[in-house]
Amino acid sequence: MSFNKVISITICMALFSVFSVAQTTTYHTKNKKSISAYQEAELLQQQRRWNEAINVLDAVIQKDTGFVEAYYKVGSMYMAMGNKTAAARYFCKGADLDPSVKAFAGAYFTAGELSYNEGEYVRAKRYFGYALNVQSGDKKIKEQTPVYIAKCDFAIDMMKHPVDFKPVLMTPPINTAFAQSHPVLTADGKTLYYTTLSGLSRQDDENIVTSSYVNGKWSEPVSISDNINSKENEGTCSISMDGNSLVFVGCGKADGLGSCDIYISKKVNNVWSKPTNLGPAVNSTSWDSHPSLSADGRTLYFVSARKGGFGKEDIYVTHLDEKGIWSPAQNAGSSVNTSGTEFSPFIHADGTTLYFSSNGLLGMGGLDIFYTTGNDTTWAVPKNIGYPLNTYANDETLFITVDGAKGYYSRFDGTNVNYNSRIFLYEFDVPQSLKPGRISTFAKGHIYDKQTKKPLGARVELVDIETNTVTQAVQSDSITGEYTIVITEGKEYAVYVNRNKYLFESLNVNYKNPTSFDALTLDIYLTPIISGSHVTLNNIFFQTNSYQLEEKSISELKKLINFIQINPAQRVELAGYTDNVGTAEANLKLSAMRAKAVYDYLIQHGIKPAGITYKGYGAASPVADNNSEEGRQKNRRLEIKIL
């Protein structure tokens, strides 16, 4: 169960391994009554009658204020009882009374840890200094004290240079459950999904709920689907940007491979399918959780406690191939994974910015949130996102919208995290320093049959035409024809829409230097393959007044080759057109030579000449007004026609 996993990690991090005081027969007092009372308290402690023992020692300390051992004894009992705030008070007092006793190195170290975990970095550094100065032979103290001092220095510096972060508690009907966490949104920012725990016990059922943003406010959260939520625990979900693929964590299920597994569900005509376990390529016999889907739902990052990692919990990555099979999960590498714990990976819609939490990197204490850029197993050195988003408490979850403007996260209420702590959702304006490397927008629309105007299910691909790589691939809804793709600034894209028995549609979206970056509405009409049908190839490029193909035409040329190969019975004409600038003779020649350049490329790459022909039409059949540059550009085109 994801809530319980977070809680257990939190509590484990609050239990300190070095809090005992070395045995000594010498006390910091000569008062026999004080020593006798101390020994009485030890007997009560052995009987686990801690409150009685503490009362005895408190009475001693009030009179014998220099009795160092009594302070440490009370502190250790408060530690055993889980009251770390009270424990810190006693350990710190004892340490300050005598900071130079080698036998007390463990107590100094514990005073430092307790102070550090309360965010008292200056105070913590003082106590770690005590532990270091007495030169204890304890291996843990020798190794970890310098690390803690470095962490204190880092945190002190971070607090001197805070980021512009002003979180706002989300208002009802959000945050009305006992606990809510791991918020995610669709690309348009109109649908919110998150995990809830409605009861007052950590053993209560955990489910996924959804809320819609309507008329400036969030609607009442409702269960995502009876097909997904069950009597077992479901939570920590991630959704593709089109809102049609959901991965989530299911625990204790009959088909589970480990304690918690990752499942997937698809939405068709607004109905979620029965979840499917992602199987042994992704899930292990251990704990697998905290999934994060890429924008198109084809790359998945998640956390696993399986053996063979760098720490107890590591981040892993897997990919969905063309046959719908997930690749064997790979460890995301030592740049992001440490000997500590990594949680809650979030891959931004730009596909290259990864946010995650860790307690193994230099931070403010507990789990801090970091970000890095890269992909799969190759990442830049992670950066701490800064104070006050990161604090001495455990800061774990983060979601940033496609445009990089809004952030959402969950946080425990108060500082004394335990099984009765509530968890709330917050939103904030993302500071410039925390924005992803590139912002994104989205194109949303429907796919239709051009003749019948009926919606179609089709594959929509977004291709980076400079690298000829598919950056996204989604399927439009087979009932509604709806689709969503995410477009990232700084690139020029080809958008391809493919369906069997139809001509593929080709669009060009150039966001190398966008003057505006608003969402697009792109309704696309596919043309059935019949004699006389034709479409424009919008991603075939030539140098000015030349028939020399530009390199960035490769993706379209390969798409054309594939189309001809899967439709061998069709005879295709490559038709070239120009604008009306220049002589008719020159335009006719240029259009014919451009069509021939494409013809030659196809022949050189295995297409049989019997299946294709080419022809230049010059300025004939304009599709736009030649009186504007925009119109003339549309008229300079290459089409494919079915003969």
mmCIF file of all heavy atoms in Angstrom, residues 517-539:
data_model
loop_
_atom_site.group_PDB
_atom_site.id
_atom_site.type_symbol
_atom_site.label_atom_id
_atom_site.label_comp_id
_atom_site.label_asym_id
_atom_site.label_seq_id
_atom_site.Cartn_x
_atom_site.Cartn_y
_atom_site.Cartn_z
ATOM 1 N N PHE A 517 2.435 30.139 -27.898
ATOM 2 C CA PHE A 517 2.536 28.707 -27.601
ATOM 3 C C PHE A 517 1.233 28.213 -26.997
ATOM 4 O O PHE A 517 1.217 27.505 -26.009
ATOM 5 C CB PHE A 517 3.714 28.464 -26.664
ATOM 6 C CG PHE A 517 4.317 27.093 -26.808
ATOM 7 C CD1 PHE A 517 4.645 26.585 -28.045
ATOM 8 C CD2 PHE A 517 4.551 26.312 -25.685
ATOM 9 C CE1 PHE A 517 5.205 25.328 -28.181
ATOM 10 C CE2 PHE A 517 5.118 25.050 -25.803
ATOM 11 C CZ PHE A 517 5.441 24.559 -27.062
ATOM 12 N N ASP A 518 0.137 28.619 -27.632
ATOM 13 C CA ASP A 518 -1.171 28.231 -27.136
ATOM 14 C C ASP A 518 -1.528 26.831 -27.622
ATOM 15 O O ASP A 518 -0.969 26.319 -28.598
ATOM 16 C CB ASP A 518 -2.236 29.220 -27.617
ATOM 17 C CG ASP A 518 -1.991 30.622 -27.083
ATOM 18 O OD1 ASP A 518 -1.453 30.728 -25.965
ATOM 19 O OD2 ASP A 518 -2.318 31.593 -27.791
ATOM 20 N N ALA A 519 -2.492 26.223 -26.942
ATOM 21 C CA ALA A 519 -2.964 24.906 -27.350
ATOM 22 C C ALA A 519 -3.599 24.977 -28.738
ATOM 23 O O ALA A 519 -4.165 26.001 -29.139
ATOM 24 C CB ALA A 519 -3.969 24.388 -26.331
ATOM 25 N N LEU A 520 -3.477 23.887 -29.496
ATOM 26 C CA LEU A 520 -4.014 23.822 -30.847
ATOM 27 C C LEU A 520 -5.237 22.920 -30.894
ATOM 28 O O LEU A 520 -5.327 21.945 -30.149
ATOM 29 C CB LEU A 520 -2.964 23.270 -31.815
ATOM 30 C CG LEU A 520 -1.635 24.017 -31.929
ATOM 31 C CD1 LEU A 520 -0.700 23.253 -32.855
ATOM 32 C CD2 LEU A 520 -1.854 25.428 -32.436
ATOM 33 N N THR A 521 -6.154 23.251 -31.778
ATOM 34 C CA THR A 521 -7.259 22.359 -32.094
ATOM 35 C C THR A 521 -7.056 21.880 -33.519
ATOM 36 O O THR A 521 -7.086 22.674 -34.463
ATOM 37 C CB THR A 521 -8.610 23.069 -31.966
ATOM 38 O OG1 THR A 521 -8.782 23.516 -30.614
ATOM 39 C CG2 THR A 521 -9.745 22.126 -32.315
ATOM 40 N N LEU A 522 -6.808 20.597 -33.683
ATOM 41 C CA LEU A 522 -6.522 20.028 -34.998
ATOM 42 C C LEU A 522 -7.477 18.868 -35.281
ATOM 43 O O LEU A 522 -7.254 17.735 -34.860
ATOM 44 C CB LEU A 522 -5.070 19.530 -35.074
ATOM 45 C CG LEU A 522 -3.953 20.575 -34.997
ATOM 46 C CD1 LEU A 522 -2.593 19.885 -34.999
ATOM 47 C CD2 LEU A 522 -4.050 21.545 -36.172
ATOM 48 N N ASP A 523 -8.570 19.159 -35.952
ATOM 49 C CA ASP A 523 -9.445 18.107 -36.447
ATOM 50 C C ASP A 523 -8.906 17.657 -37.801
ATOM 51 O O ASP A 523 -8.623 18.492 -38.680
ATOM 52 C CB ASP A 523 -10.876 18.604 -36.594
ATOM 53 C CG ASP A 523 -11.557 18.802 -35.249
ATOM 54 O OD1 ASP A 523 -11.091 18.201 -34.254
ATOM 55 O OD2 ASP A 523 -12.544 19.554 -35.182
ATOM 56 N N ILE A 524 -8.750 16.353 -37.974
ATOM 57 C CA ILE A 524 -8.087 15.819 -39.163
ATOM 58 C C ILE A 524 -9.037 14.856 -39.866
ATOM 59 O O ILE A 524 -9.646 13.981 -39.231
ATOM 60 C CB ILE A 524 -6.773 15.114 -38.781
ATOM 61 C CG1 ILE A 524 -5.826 16.136 -38.114
ATOM 62 C CG2 ILE A 524 -6.118 14.484 -39.993
ATOM 63 C CD1 ILE A 524 -4.592 15.513 -37.498
ATOM 64 N N TYR A 525 -9.134 15.012 -41.197
ATOM 65 C CA TYR A 525 -10.039 14.197 -42.003
ATOM 66 C C TYR A 525 -9.211 13.279 -42.900
ATOM 67 O O TYR A 525 -8.415 13.742 -43.721
ATOM 68 C CB TYR A 525 -10.952 15.086 -42.842
ATOM 69 C CG TYR A 525 -11.914 15.898 -41.997
ATOM 70 C CD1 TYR A 525 -11.505 17.091 -41.394
ATOM 71 C CD2 TYR A 525 -13.219 15.454 -41.785
ATOM 72 C CE1 TYR A 525 -12.378 17.824 -40.599
ATOM 73 C CE2 TYR A 525 -14.100 16.183 -40.996
ATOM 74 C CZ TYR A 525 -13.669 17.363 -40.410
ATOM 75 O OH TYR A 525 -14.536 18.082 -39.617
ATOM 76 N N LEU A 526 -9.395 11.970 -42.721
ATOM 77 C CA LEU A 526 -8.657 10.986 -43.504
ATOM 78 C C LEU A 526 -9.407 10.647 -44.789
ATOM 79 O O LEU A 526 -10.637 10.508 -44.789
ATOM 80 C CB LEU A 526 -8.434 9.714 -42.693
ATOM 81 C CG LEU A 526 -7.511 9.823 -41.471
ATOM 82 C CD1 LEU A 526 -7.324 8.455 -40.830
ATOM 83 C CD2 LEU A 526 -6.162 10.415 -41.844
ATOM 84 N N THR A 527 -8.628 10.493 -45.877
ATOM 85 C CA THR A 527 -9.191 10.226 -47.195
ATOM 86 C C THR A 527 -9.121 8.738 -47.515
ATOM 87 O O THR A 527 -8.025 8.153 -47.488
ATOM 88 C CB THR A 527 -8.417 11.003 -48.266
ATOM 89 O OG1 THR A 527 -8.434 12.398 -47.952
ATOM 90 C CG2 THR A 527 -9.017 10.780 -49.641
ATOM 91 N N PRO A 528 -10.248 8.100 -47.789
ATOM 92 C CA PRO A 528 -10.212 6.672 -48.154
ATOM 93 C C PRO A 528 -9.387 6.455 -49.423
ATOM 94 O O PRO A 528 -9.314 7.325 -50.298
ATOM 95 C CB PRO A 528 -11.686 6.332 -48.396
ATOM 96 C CG PRO A 528 -12.458 7.387 -47.668
ATOM 97 C CD PRO A 528 -11.622 8.629 -47.759
ATOM 98 N N ILE A 529 -8.753 5.293 -49.528
ATOM 99 C CA ILE A 529 -7.961 4.962 -50.707
ATOM 100 C C ILE A 529 -8.904 4.502 -51.815
ATOM 101 O O ILE A 529 -9.369 3.355 -51.836
ATOM 102 C CB ILE A 529 -6.923 3.873 -50.387
ATOM 103 C CG1 ILE A 529 -5.956 4.357 -49.304
ATOM 104 C CG2 ILE A 529 -6.152 3.484 -51.645
ATOM 105 C CD1 ILE A 529 -4.959 3.302 -48.858
ATOM 106 N N ILE A 530 -9.198 5.430 -52.717
ATOM 107 C CA ILE A 530 -10.003 5.127 -53.899
ATOM 108 C C ILE A 530 -9.385 5.870 -55.067
ATOM 109 O O ILE A 530 -8.590 6.809 -54.886
ATOM 110 C CB ILE A 530 -11.479 5.543 -53.728
ATOM 111 C CG1 ILE A 530 -11.585 7.039 -53.387
ATOM 112 C CG2 ILE A 530 -12.162 4.697 -52.650
ATOM 113 C CD1 ILE A 530 -13.015 7.550 -53.327
ATOM 114 N N SER A 531 -9.717 5.465 -56.257
ATOM 115 C CA SER A 531 -9.174 6.109 -57.451
ATOM 116 C C SER A 531 -9.510 7.599 -57.444
ATOM 117 O O SER A 531 -10.658 8.002 -57.232
ATOM 118 C CB SER A 531 -9.753 5.445 -58.704
ATOM 119 O OG SER A 531 -9.259 6.075 -59.860
ATOM 120 N N GLY A 532 -8.477 8.416 -57.643
ATOM 121 C CA GLY A 532 -8.650 9.863 -57.690
ATOM 122 C C GLY A 532 -8.404 10.573 -56.373
ATOM 123 O O GLY A 532 -8.298 11.806 -56.334
ATOM 124 N N SER A 533 -8.329 9.829 -55.267
ATOM 125 C CA SER A 533 -8.074 10.487 -53.973
ATOM 126 C C SER A 533 -6.637 10.975 -53.904
ATOM 127 O O SER A 533 -5.734 10.396 -54.518
ATOM 128 C CB SER A 533 -8.381 9.521 -52.831
ATOM 129 O OG SER A 533 -7.544 8.387 -52.889
ATOM 130 N N HIS A 534 -6.431 12.047 -53.156
ATOM 131 C CA HIS A 534 -5.088 12.630 -53.073
ATOM 132 C C HIS A 534 -4.928 13.382 -51.760
ATOM 133 O O HIS A 534 -5.912 13.857 -51.170
ATOM 134 C CB HIS A 534 -4.831 13.573 -54.251
ATOM 135 C CG HIS A 534 -5.798 14.722 -54.319
ATOM 136 N ND1 HIS A 534 -5.571 15.949 -53.740
ATOM 137 C CD2 HIS A 534 -7.034 14.804 -54.901
ATOM 138 C CE1 HIS A 534 -6.598 16.741 -53.964
ATOM 139 N NE2 HIS A 534 -7.503 16.075 -54.656
ATOM 140 N N VAL A 535 -3.696 13.494 -51.304
ATOM 141 C CA VAL A 535 -3.357 14.280 -50.114
ATOM 142 C C VAL A 535 -2.035 14.989 -50.359
ATOM 143 O O VAL A 535 -1.215 14.568 -51.183
ATOM 144 C CB VAL A 535 -3.235 13.403 -48.844
ATOM 145 C CG1 VAL A 535 -4.577 12.808 -48.448
ATOM 146 C CG2 VAL A 535 -2.184 12.330 -49.014
ATOM 147 N N THR A 536 -1.835 16.081 -49.615
ATOM 148 C CA THR A 536 -0.594 16.849 -49.710
ATOM 149 C C THR A 536 0.439 16.288 -48.749
ATOM 150 O O THR A 536 0.120 15.956 -47.601
ATOM 151 C CB THR A 536 -0.852 18.328 -49.378
ATOM 152 O OG1 THR A 536 -1.791 18.856 -50.316
ATOM 153 C CG2 THR A 536 0.438 19.135 -49.444
ATOM 154 N N LEU A 537 1.679 16.195 -49.218
ATOM 155 C CA LEU A 537 2.801 15.797 -48.361
ATOM 156 C C LEU A 537 3.426 17.069 -47.799
ATOM 157 O O LEU A 537 4.208 17.745 -48.481
ATOM 158 C CB LEU A 537 3.817 14.987 -49.171
ATOM 159 C CG LEU A 537 3.284 13.705 -49.823
ATOM 160 C CD1 LEU A 537 4.338 13.070 -50.718
ATOM 161 C CD2 LEU A 537 2.829 12.718 -48.760
ATOM 162 N N ASN A 538 3.058 17.400 -46.571
ATOM 163 C CA ASN A 538 3.451 18.690 -46.003
ATOM 164 C C ASN A 538 4.841 18.706 -45.383
ATOM 165 O O ASN A 538 5.266 19.736 -44.844
ATOM 166 C CB ASN A 538 2.424 19.118 -44.951
ATOM 167 C CG ASN A 538 1.113 19.546 -45.584
ATOM 168 O OD1 ASN A 538 1.094 20.424 -46.433
ATOM 169 N ND2 ASN A 538 0.017 18.902 -45.189
ATOM 170 N N ASN A 539 5.534 17.574 -45.412
ATOM 171 C CA ASN A 539 6.870 17.524 -44.820
ATOM 172 C C ASN A 539 7.933 17.069 -45.823
ATOM 173 O O ASN A 539 8.921 16.443 -45.466
ATOM 174 C CB ASN A 539 6.856 16.610 -43.592
ATOM 175 C CG ASN A 539 6.016 17.193 -42.466
ATOM 176 O OD1 ASN A 539 6.383 18.173 -41.836
ATOM 177 N ND2 ASN A 539 4.849 16.598 -42.250
#
